[in-house]
Amino acid sequence: MRVSASLDYALRAMVELAAASPDGRHVKADEIAARQAIPTRFLAQLLAELRRADLVCSGRGYAGGYWLAVPAADITVADIARVIDGPLADVHGTSPELFGPPGVAAPTRELWIAVRAALRSVMEQDTIADLAAGSLPPAVAAMLDDPDAWTRRGSERDGAQ
Amino acid sequence: MRVSASLDYALRAMVELAAASPDGRHVKADEIAARQAIPTRFLAQLLAELRRADLVCSGRGYAGGYWLAVPAADITVADIARVIDGPLADVHGTSPELFGPPGVAAPTRELWIAVRAALRSVMEQDTIADLAAGSLPPAVAAMLDDPDAWTRRGSERDGAQ
DNA sequence: GACAATGTTGATCTAGTTAGTCGGGAATAT
DNA sequence: ATATTCCCGACTAACTAGATCAACATTGTC
Protein backbone atom coordinates (compact mmCIF):
# COMPACT_ATOMS: atom_id res chain seq x y z
CA MET A 1 0.00 0.00 0.00
CA ARG A 2 1.56 3.13 -1.19
CA VAL A 3 0.01 6.30 0.18
CA SER A 4 0.52 8.91 -2.51
CA ALA A 5 1.72 12.39 -1.73
CA SER A 6 -1.59 13.65 -3.09
CA LEU A 7 -3.62 11.65 -0.62
CA ASP A 8 -1.40 12.58 2.29
CA TYR A 9 -1.63 16.27 1.38
CA ALA A 10 -5.37 16.16 0.75
CA LEU A 11 -6.06 14.41 4.02
CA ARG A 12 -3.95 16.83 6.03
CA ALA A 13 -5.64 19.75 4.32
CA MET A 14 -9.03 18.33 5.20
CA VAL A 15 -8.00 17.92 8.82
CA GLU A 16 -7.02 21.58 8.85
CA LEU A 17 -10.46 22.48 7.54
CA ALA A 18 -12.11 20.19 10.06
CA ALA A 19 -10.20 21.89 12.86
CA ALA A 20 -11.42 25.29 11.66
CA SER A 21 -14.99 24.18 11.01
CA PRO A 22 -16.47 24.57 14.52
CA ASP A 23 -15.89 28.33 14.25
CA GLY A 24 -17.12 28.39 10.67
CA ARG A 25 -13.82 29.91 9.64
CA HIS A 26 -12.77 30.04 6.02
CA VAL A 27 -9.20 28.92 5.50
CA LYS A 28 -7.12 30.13 2.60
CA ALA A 29 -5.13 27.71 0.48
CA ASP A 30 -1.89 29.54 1.28
CA GLU A 31 -2.55 29.22 4.96
CA ILE A 32 -3.02 25.46 4.75
CA ALA A 33 0.02 25.12 2.52
CA ALA A 34 2.17 27.01 5.00
CA ARG A 35 0.97 25.17 8.08
CA GLN A 36 1.27 21.75 6.50
CA ALA A 37 4.36 22.38 4.37
CA ILE A 38 2.61 21.53 1.12
CA PRO A 39 3.57 23.07 -2.24
CA THR A 40 1.00 25.81 -2.72
CA ARG A 41 0.15 25.32 -6.36
CA PHE A 42 -0.10 21.59 -5.97
CA LEU A 43 -2.43 21.91 -3.02
CA ALA A 44 -4.69 24.20 -5.03
CA GLN A 45 -5.20 21.39 -7.53
CA LEU A 46 -6.12 18.93 -4.83
CA LEU A 47 -8.55 21.36 -3.22
CA ALA A 48 -10.17 21.90 -6.62
CA GLU A 49 -10.71 18.14 -6.92
CA LEU A 50 -12.21 18.00 -3.45
CA ARG A 51 -14.50 20.85 -4.35
CA ARG A 52 -15.70 19.15 -7.56
CA ALA A 53 -16.44 16.09 -5.40
CA ASP A 54 -18.55 18.30 -3.10
CA LEU A 55 -16.46 17.67 -0.03
CA VAL A 56 -15.44 21.30 0.36
CA CYS A 57 -16.71 24.68 -0.71
CA SER A 58 -14.65 27.62 -1.79
CA GLY A 59 -15.05 31.33 -2.11
CA ARG A 60 -12.93 33.97 -3.80
CA GLY A 61 -11.99 37.46 -2.91
CA TYR A 62 -11.08 39.01 0.41
CA ALA A 63 -13.18 36.73 2.57
CA GLY A 64 -12.47 33.74 0.36
CA GLY A 65 -10.87 30.44 1.14
CA TYR A 66 -12.08 26.92 1.75
CA TRP A 67 -14.44 25.27 4.21
CA LEU A 68 -16.11 21.90 4.58
CA ALA A 69 -19.25 21.28 2.54
CA VAL A 70 -20.42 18.66 5.04
CA PRO A 71 -19.98 18.14 8.80
CA ALA A 72 -16.49 16.85 9.59
CA ALA A 73 -17.96 13.81 11.32
CA ASP A 74 -19.54 12.74 8.02
CA ILE A 75 -16.33 12.71 6.00
CA THR A 76 -14.26 9.57 6.26
CA VAL A 77 -10.71 8.99 5.17
CA ALA A 78 -12.07 6.59 2.56
CA ASP A 79 -14.16 9.38 1.02
CA ILE A 80 -11.07 11.47 0.49
CA ALA A 81 -9.01 8.54 -0.74
CA ARG A 82 -11.62 7.67 -3.36
CA VAL A 83 -11.73 11.23 -4.67
CA ILE A 84 -7.97 11.58 -4.88
CA ASP A 85 -6.76 8.08 -5.70
CA GLY A 86 -9.80 6.25 -7.03
CA PRO A 87 -11.03 2.92 -5.66
CA LEU A 88 -9.53 1.77 -2.35
CA ALA A 89 -8.35 -1.50 -3.85
CA ASP A 90 -7.83 -2.70 -7.36
CA VAL A 91 -5.99 -5.66 -8.70
CA HIS A 92 -3.93 -4.29 -11.54
CA GLY A 93 -6.77 -2.58 -13.24
CA THR A 94 -9.92 -4.40 -12.25
CA SER A 95 -11.83 -4.36 -9.00
CA PRO A 96 -11.25 -7.42 -6.80
CA GLU A 97 -14.68 -8.97 -7.27
CA LEU A 98 -14.43 -8.82 -11.06
CA PHE A 99 -11.03 -10.41 -10.96
CA GLY A 100 -10.96 -14.09 -11.96
CA PRO A 101 -7.55 -15.72 -11.62
CA PRO A 102 -7.39 -19.09 -13.38
CA GLY A 103 -6.97 -22.60 -12.04
CA VAL A 104 -5.43 -23.26 -8.70
CA ALA A 105 -4.87 -19.54 -8.06
CA ALA A 106 -8.60 -18.80 -8.02
CA PRO A 107 -8.71 -18.23 -4.23
CA THR A 108 -6.40 -15.24 -4.57
CA ARG A 109 -9.54 -13.39 -5.48
CA GLU A 110 -10.94 -13.92 -1.99
CA LEU A 111 -7.65 -12.75 -0.60
CA TRP A 112 -7.85 -9.39 -2.32
CA ILE A 113 -11.45 -8.97 -1.24
CA ALA A 114 -10.37 -9.57 2.34
CA VAL A 115 -7.61 -7.02 1.92
CA ARG A 116 -10.10 -4.48 0.71
CA ALA A 117 -12.40 -5.26 3.63
CA ALA A 118 -9.49 -4.73 6.01
CA LEU A 119 -8.72 -1.36 4.49
CA ARG A 120 -12.34 -0.33 4.69
CA SER A 121 -12.51 -1.31 8.33
CA VAL A 122 -10.03 1.46 9.07
CA MET A 123 -10.62 4.05 6.39
CA GLU A 124 -14.41 4.05 6.50
CA GLN A 125 -14.51 4.25 10.28
CA ASP A 126 -12.17 7.13 10.75
CA THR A 127 -13.53 10.59 10.04
CA ILE A 128 -11.66 13.85 9.77
CA ALA A 129 -13.52 14.97 12.89
CA ASP A 130 -11.79 12.12 14.74
CA LEU A 131 -8.44 13.11 13.35
CA ALA A 132 -8.89 16.79 14.14
CA ALA A 133 -9.86 15.84 17.70
CA GLY A 134 -6.88 13.50 17.95
CA SER A 135 -9.05 10.59 19.06
CA LEU A 136 -9.39 7.68 16.70
CA PRO A 137 -12.56 5.56 16.86
CA PRO A 138 -12.31 2.57 19.25
CA ALA A 139 -12.08 -0.10 16.56
CA VAL A 140 -9.18 1.71 14.92
CA ALA A 141 -7.47 2.64 18.17
CA ALA A 142 -7.59 -1.01 19.17
CA MET A 143 -5.23 -1.87 16.33
CA LEU A 144 -2.64 0.44 17.82
CA ASP A 145 -2.64 -1.25 21.22
CA ASP A 146 -0.41 -4.02 19.98
CA PRO A 147 3.09 -2.55 20.32
CA ASP A 148 3.96 -4.69 17.31
CA ALA A 149 1.88 -2.39 15.15
CA TRP A 150 4.43 0.34 15.76
CA THR A 151 7.46 -1.59 14.69
CA ARG A 152 8.75 -2.07 11.26
CA ARG A 153 8.83 -5.47 9.71
CA GLY A 154 12.24 -5.67 8.13
CA SER A 155 12.76 -8.13 5.33
CA GLU A 156 13.23 -10.82 7.96
CA ARG A 157 11.83 -13.86 6.29
CA ASP A 158 13.68 -15.95 8.85
CA GLY A 159 12.17 -14.57 12.01
CA ALA A 160 10.92 -17.97 13.13
CA GLN A 161 14.34 -19.57 13.23
CA MET B 1 -4.26 0.08 -2.46
CA ARG B 2 -3.14 -0.75 -5.89
CA VAL B 3 -2.12 -4.36 -6.38
CA SER B 4 0.51 -4.28 -9.11
CA ALA B 5 0.55 -6.75 -11.97
CA SER B 6 3.89 -7.97 -10.66
CA LEU B 7 2.49 -8.88 -7.27
CA ASP B 8 -0.58 -10.54 -8.72
CA TYR B 9 1.58 -12.60 -11.09
CA ALA B 10 4.14 -13.51 -8.44
CA LEU B 11 1.48 -14.59 -5.98
CA ARG B 12 -0.31 -16.73 -8.53
CA ALA B 13 2.98 -18.31 -9.56
CA MET B 14 3.75 -19.10 -5.94
CA VAL B 15 0.35 -20.71 -5.50
CA GLU B 16 1.10 -22.90 -8.51
CA LEU B 17 4.35 -23.94 -6.88
CA ALA B 18 2.61 -24.55 -3.58
CA ALA B 19 0.08 -26.77 -5.32
CA ALA B 20 2.90 -28.80 -6.86
CA SER B 21 5.03 -28.94 -3.72
CA PRO B 22 3.43 -31.94 -1.95
CA ASP B 23 4.68 -34.16 -4.81
CA GLY B 24 8.03 -32.40 -4.88
CA ARG B 25 7.46 -31.60 -8.52
CA HIS B 26 9.57 -29.05 -10.35
CA VAL B 27 7.51 -26.65 -12.39
CA LYS B 28 8.89 -24.86 -15.43
CA ALA B 29 8.39 -21.15 -15.92
CA ASP B 30 6.65 -21.75 -19.24
CA GLU B 31 4.22 -24.08 -17.60
CA ILE B 32 3.25 -21.53 -14.95
CA ALA B 33 3.03 -18.80 -17.55
CA ALA B 34 0.68 -20.89 -19.67
CA ARG B 35 -1.56 -21.98 -16.82
CA GLN B 36 -1.84 -18.52 -15.32
CA ALA B 37 -1.80 -16.49 -18.53
CA ILE B 38 1.27 -14.50 -17.57
CA PRO B 39 3.77 -13.11 -20.11
CA THR B 40 6.60 -15.63 -20.04
CA ARG B 41 9.60 -13.34 -20.03
CA PHE B 42 8.07 -11.09 -17.44
CA LEU B 43 7.31 -14.00 -15.17
CA ALA B 44 10.92 -15.15 -15.44
CA GLN B 45 12.05 -11.85 -13.96
CA LEU B 46 9.67 -12.19 -11.06
CA LEU B 47 10.76 -15.74 -10.36
CA ALA B 48 14.38 -14.60 -10.38
CA GLU B 49 13.54 -12.01 -7.72
CA LEU B 50 11.79 -14.63 -5.63
CA ARG B 51 14.82 -16.87 -5.96
CA ARG B 52 17.21 -14.12 -4.86
CA ALA B 53 14.95 -13.65 -1.84
CA ASP B 54 15.26 -17.36 -1.08
CA LEU B 55 11.58 -18.10 -1.43
CA VAL B 56 12.05 -20.47 -4.34
CA CYS B 57 14.83 -22.60 -5.79
CA SER B 58 15.53 -23.20 -9.44
CA GLY B 59 17.34 -25.69 -11.61
CA ARG B 60 18.23 -25.67 -15.28
CA GLY B 61 18.14 -28.24 -18.00
CA TYR B 62 15.71 -31.06 -18.74
CA ALA B 63 14.70 -31.69 -15.14
CA GLY B 64 14.86 -28.01 -14.30
CA GLY B 65 12.19 -25.61 -13.21
CA TYR B 66 11.16 -23.97 -9.96
CA TRP B 67 10.12 -25.26 -6.57
CA LEU B 68 9.54 -23.78 -3.13
CA ALA B 69 12.60 -23.23 -0.96
CA VAL B 70 10.48 -23.40 2.20
CA PRO B 71 7.27 -25.23 3.17
CA ALA B 72 4.24 -23.56 1.62
CA ALA B 73 2.69 -23.06 5.05
CA ASP B 74 5.63 -20.84 6.02
CA ILE B 75 5.27 -18.39 3.15
CA THR B 76 2.75 -15.62 3.66
CA VAL B 77 1.32 -13.25 1.12
CA ALA B 78 3.14 -10.46 2.95
CA ASP B 79 6.47 -12.17 2.34
CA ILE B 80 5.87 -12.18 -1.37
CA ALA B 81 4.54 -8.64 -1.39
CA ARG B 82 7.63 -7.35 0.40
CA VAL B 83 9.95 -9.01 -2.08
CA ILE B 84 8.10 -7.75 -5.14
CA ASP B 85 6.73 -4.40 -4.04
CA GLY B 86 8.79 -3.40 -1.02
CA PRO B 87 7.25 -2.43 2.35
CA LEU B 88 3.55 -3.14 2.81
CA ALA B 89 2.77 0.46 3.63
CA ASP B 90 4.59 3.68 3.09
CA VAL B 91 3.44 7.22 3.25
CA HIS B 92 4.84 8.79 0.14
CA GLY B 93 8.35 7.59 0.67
CA THR B 94 8.78 7.12 4.41
CA SER B 95 7.47 4.39 6.64
CA PRO B 96 4.42 5.35 8.69
CA GLU B 97 6.17 5.46 12.06
CA LEU B 98 8.86 7.82 10.79
CA PHE B 99 6.26 10.08 9.31
CA GLY B 100 5.62 13.26 11.28
CA PRO B 101 2.84 15.43 9.92
CA PRO B 102 2.80 18.92 11.45
CA GLY B 103 0.29 20.64 13.66
CA VAL B 104 -3.29 19.59 13.83
CA ALA B 105 -2.70 16.81 11.27
CA ALA B 106 -0.34 14.92 13.55
CA PRO B 107 -2.86 12.13 14.27
CA THR B 108 -2.83 11.11 10.61
CA ARG B 109 0.31 9.26 11.52
CA GLU B 110 -1.65 6.92 13.78
CA LEU B 111 -4.14 6.47 11.00
CA TRP B 112 -1.53 5.13 8.60
CA ILE B 113 -0.12 2.87 11.25
CA ALA B 114 -3.59 1.45 11.78
CA VAL B 115 -3.93 0.96 8.04
CA ARG B 116 -0.68 -0.94 7.98
CA ALA B 117 -1.80 -3.08 10.91
CA ALA B 118 -5.01 -3.86 9.06
CA LEU B 119 -3.11 -4.96 5.98
CA ARG B 120 -0.80 -7.12 8.04
CA SER B 121 -3.74 -8.79 9.73
CA VAL B 122 -4.69 -10.24 6.36
CA MET B 123 -1.44 -10.56 4.48
CA GLU B 124 0.65 -12.01 7.30
CA GLN B 125 -2.00 -14.55 8.23
CA ASP B 126 -2.65 -15.98 4.83
CA THR B 127 -0.07 -18.43 3.46
CA ILE B 128 0.25 -19.83 -0.02
CA ALA B 129 -0.58 -23.24 1.46
CA ASP B 130 -3.96 -21.79 2.47
CA LEU B 131 -4.50 -20.38 -0.99
CA ALA B 132 -3.48 -23.59 -2.76
CA ALA B 133 -5.89 -25.49 -0.52
CA GLY B 134 -8.63 -22.94 -1.17
CA SER B 135 -9.27 -22.42 2.54
CA LEU B 136 -8.40 -19.05 3.99
CA PRO B 137 -7.47 -18.86 7.68
CA PRO B 138 -10.45 -18.20 10.00
CA ALA B 139 -9.57 -14.58 10.80
CA VAL B 140 -9.36 -13.75 7.12
CA ALA B 141 -12.39 -15.80 6.11
CA ALA B 142 -14.38 -13.95 8.76
CA MET B 143 -13.95 -10.72 6.82
CA LEU B 144 -15.69 -12.30 3.86
CA ASP B 145 -18.80 -13.25 5.82
CA ASP B 146 -20.18 -9.76 5.59
CA PRO B 147 -21.88 -9.72 2.19
CA ASP B 148 -20.96 -6.07 2.09
CA ALA B 149 -17.35 -7.06 1.61
CA TRP B 150 -18.24 -8.38 -1.83
CA THR B 151 -19.88 -5.26 -3.12
CA ARG B 152 -18.25 -2.33 -4.64
CA ARG B 153 -18.43 1.02 -2.99
CA GLY B 154 -19.29 3.39 -5.78
CA SER B 155 -18.40 7.00 -5.36
CA GLU B 156 -21.58 7.40 -3.36
CA ARG B 157 -20.69 10.07 -0.91
CA ASP B 158 -24.37 10.68 -0.35
CA GLY B 159 -25.45 7.25 0.78
CA ALA B 160 -26.68 8.53 4.14
CA GLN B 161 -28.97 11.14 2.74
C1' DG C 1 -16.05 51.53 -10.80
C1' DA C 2 -11.22 50.36 -10.12
C1' DC C 3 -8.16 47.67 -7.76
C1' DA C 4 -6.09 44.11 -5.35
C1' DA C 5 -6.50 39.72 -3.25
C1' DT C 6 -7.90 35.42 -3.98
C1' DG C 7 -9.48 31.08 -6.34
C1' DT C 8 -9.87 28.37 -11.21
C1' DT C 9 -8.40 26.33 -15.15
C1' DG C 10 -5.66 24.08 -18.26
C1' DA C 11 -1.14 23.44 -20.23
C1' DT C 12 3.22 21.95 -19.51
C1' DC C 13 7.35 19.72 -17.65
C1' DT C 14 10.39 16.31 -15.56
C1' DA C 15 11.54 12.14 -13.36
C1' DG C 16 10.34 7.85 -12.03
C1' DT C 17 7.68 3.63 -12.23
C1' DT C 18 5.26 -0.11 -14.53
C1' DA C 19 4.77 -3.59 -17.63
C1' DG C 20 6.83 -5.52 -20.86
C1' DT C 21 10.41 -7.31 -24.70
C1' DC C 22 14.86 -8.91 -26.47
C1' DG C 23 19.38 -11.07 -27.09
C1' DG C 24 22.91 -13.58 -25.71
C1' DG C 25 25.08 -16.47 -22.06
C1' DA C 26 25.53 -20.28 -18.66
C1' DA C 27 24.19 -24.57 -16.53
C1' DT C 28 22.31 -29.26 -16.94
C1' DA C 29 20.60 -33.82 -18.47
C1' DT C 30 20.40 -37.14 -22.20
C1' DA D 1 26.99 -32.48 -28.56
C1' DT D 2 22.83 -30.63 -28.15
C1' DA D 3 18.37 -29.60 -26.66
C1' DT D 4 16.46 -27.59 -22.84
C1' DT D 5 16.03 -24.59 -19.31
C1' DC D 6 17.18 -20.77 -16.33
C1' DC D 7 20.10 -16.16 -15.83
C1' DC D 8 21.17 -11.44 -16.53
C1' DG D 9 21.31 -6.95 -18.24
C1' DA D 10 19.79 -3.67 -21.48
C1' DC D 11 16.07 -1.51 -23.67
C1' DT D 12 11.47 0.70 -24.61
C1' DA D 13 6.98 2.58 -24.58
C1' DA D 14 3.31 4.18 -21.83
C1' DC D 15 1.75 5.99 -17.91
C1' DT D 16 1.65 8.35 -13.36
C1' DA D 17 3.31 11.40 -9.74
C1' DG D 18 4.72 15.55 -8.39
C1' DA D 19 5.11 20.00 -9.32
C1' DT D 20 5.06 24.65 -11.80
C1' DC D 21 3.17 28.44 -14.62
C1' DA D 22 0.42 31.88 -17.04
C1' DA D 23 -3.88 33.66 -17.83
C1' DC D 24 -8.50 34.28 -16.40
C1' DA D 25 -12.70 34.84 -13.21
C1' DT D 26 -14.71 36.43 -9.03
C1' DT D 27 -15.28 39.04 -4.98
C1' DG D 28 -14.78 42.71 -1.23
C1' DT D 29 -13.17 47.26 -0.22
C1' DC D 30 -12.07 51.96 -1.25
Side-chain angles (χ1 to χ4, degrees):
Chain A
M1 164 95 184
R2 143 174 199 71
V3 178
S4 65
S6 301
L7 177 53
D8 169 38
Y9 293 161
L11 176 61
R12 275 155 51 198
M14 290 295 276
V15 174
E16 286 282 350
L17 294 182
S21 70
D23 328 337
R25 263 173 38 230
H26 295 188
V27 190
K28 297 193 241 297
D30 284 347
E31 208 174 322
I32 300 176
R35 278 210 283 257
Q36 290 295 325
I38 300 173
T40 314
R41 301 293 218 158
F42 193 41
L43 176 63
Q45 282 183 192
L46 299 172
L47 288 169
E49 278 187 75
L50 292 167
R51 193 188 54 83
R52 280 190 290 269
D54 296 318
L55 291 182
V56 305
C57 298
S58 66
R60 319 193 201 200
Y62 281 82
Y66 292 88
W67 60 96
L68 297 181
V70 166
D74 290 352
I75 301 180
T76 69
V77 175
D79 292 328
I80 300 170
R82 292 204 182 94
V83 168
I84 301 295
D85 274 349
L88 284 197
D90 79 343
V91 184
H92 75 109
T94 61
S95 72
E97 75 273 6
L98 298 179
F99 172 64
V104 72
T108 61
R109 179 189 177 206
E110 273 84 50
L111 167 76
W112 298 127
I113 290 179
V115 165
R116 179 175 65 180
L119 283 176
R120 285 177 175 173
S121 73
V122 173
M123 306 228 268
E124 290 185 347
Q125 291 307 308
D126 201 359
T127 71
I128 55 174
D130 296 324
L131 289 168
S135 63
L136 304 192
V140 175
M143 314 205 80
L144 301 175
D145 286 344
D146 184 357
D148 218 45
W150 293 80
T151 69
R152 182 164 203 181
R153 290 274 200 295
S155 344
E156 5 78 30
R157 230 229 67 62
D158 29 28
Q161 282 71 349
Chain B
M1 164 95 183
R2 141 175 199 72
V3 178
S4 65
S6 301
L7 177 53
D8 168 39
Y9 292 162
L11 176 61
R12 274 155 54 198
M14 290 295 277
V15 175
E16 285 283 350
L17 293 182
S21 69
D23 329 338
R25 264 174 37 230
H26 295 188
V27 190
K28 296 190 244 292
D30 284 348
E31 209 173 324
I32 301 175
R35 277 210 282 258
Q36 289 296 324
I38 301 173
T40 313
R41 301 288 224 163
F42 191 43
L43 175 63
Q45 283 182 191
L46 300 172
L47 287 167
E49 278 187 76
L50 293 168
R51 191 188 52 84
R52 282 189 288 267
D54 295 318
L55 291 183
V56 306
C57 297
S58 67
R60 317 192 204 203
Y62 281 82
Y66 292 89
W67 61 95
L68 295 181
V70 167
D74 291 353
I75 302 179
T76 69
V77 174
D79 293 328
I80 301 171
R82 293 205 181 93
V83 168
I84 300 296
D85 274 350
L88 284 197
D90 79 343
V91 184
H92 75 107
T94 61
S95 72
E97 76 273 6
L98 299 178
F99 171 63
V104 72
T108 61
R109 178 187 177 209
E110 273 85 49
L111 167 76
W112 299 127
I113 290 180
V115 165
R116 179 174 66 180
L119 282 176
R120 285 176 174 173
S121 74
V122 172
M123 306 229 268
E124 290 184 348
Q125 291 307 308
D126 200 358
T127 71
I128 55 174
D130 295 324
L131 289 168
S135 63
L136 304 191
V140 175
M143 313 204 83
L144 301 175
D145 286 344
D146 184 357
D148 219 44
W150 294 80
T151 69
R152 183 165 204 179
R153 291 271 201 294
S155 342
E156 6 75 34
R157 231 231 66 61
D158 28 27
Q161 284 72 347

